[in-house]
Each structure stands twice: as structure tokens, then as C-alpha cells.
Amino acid sequence: PRTDLEPGINIIDLVAVHAQVFPSKGEARRMITGGGLSINKERISGPDMIIKTDSLLNDKYILIQKGKKNYFLLKAI
């Protein structure tokens, strides 16, 4: 929900808990530290990044890239 993004949400919680891109927080953390995760085509620098509503594309989407070929489109409603 968009209300979760307004105060800001940790990138690990977003991709592991809310969006279920990863099955666990540990796997998400390993992928981020290895440089294998991008949000809106920008590489994630560290596991302590906070995602807010200013990261939304067209004011409603977030594009997540896991590895080279796995893409996920999150819709904030």
C-alpha cells in the first residue's frame, strides 16, 4: 500500500516481506550486498536503504530487478 511508503520502508522489508520477491530477509541481504538488486534501474548500494514515495515511477510503480533476468513491477495503491 502507498501508506506504507509515505513514512519510508527499509529495502529488505519491501522485497522480502511486503513484495515477496525473496523468500527470506537473509537471501535479500546477500543479493543486495552482492550487487544483484536494482530499484528503477538503479543499483542498490546497501541493505539500509529506505524507499519512500519519491521512488515511485508515474506516481504508482516500483520496478525491481533481481539478478539479470528477473523483473518485478510493484503497484502502490
Side-chain angles (χ1 to χ4, degrees):
R2 187 179 184 89
T3 55
D4 290 345
L5 291 175
E6 288 172 359
I9 186 168
N10 187 314
I11 185 67
I12 301 235
D13 290 334
L14 178 69
V15 297
V17 177
H18 296 283
Q20 297 176 351
V21 173
F22 293 96
S24 68
K25 288 183 178 183
E27 187 175 334
R29 191 172 289 113
R30 282 190 294 276
M31 183 68 85
I32 290 170
T33 56
L37 187 73
S38 298
I39 300 288
N40 299 333
K41 292 292 191 175
E42 294 180 15
R43 183 105 24 221
I44 301 300
S45 57
D48 55 347
M49 183 177 177
I50 302 295
I51 302 293
K52 294 186 177 184
T53 54
D54 59 353
S55 298
L56 293 173
L57 300 172
N58 289 338
D59 207 33
K60 69 168 108 173
Y61 300 109
I62 294 177
L63 179 67
I64 299 175
Q65 182 180 0
K66 173 182 162 184
K68 288 187 178 183
K69 299 180 181 179
N70 298 317
Y71 289 89
F72 301 87
L73 186 64
L74 300 182
K75 185 176 180 183
I77 52 173

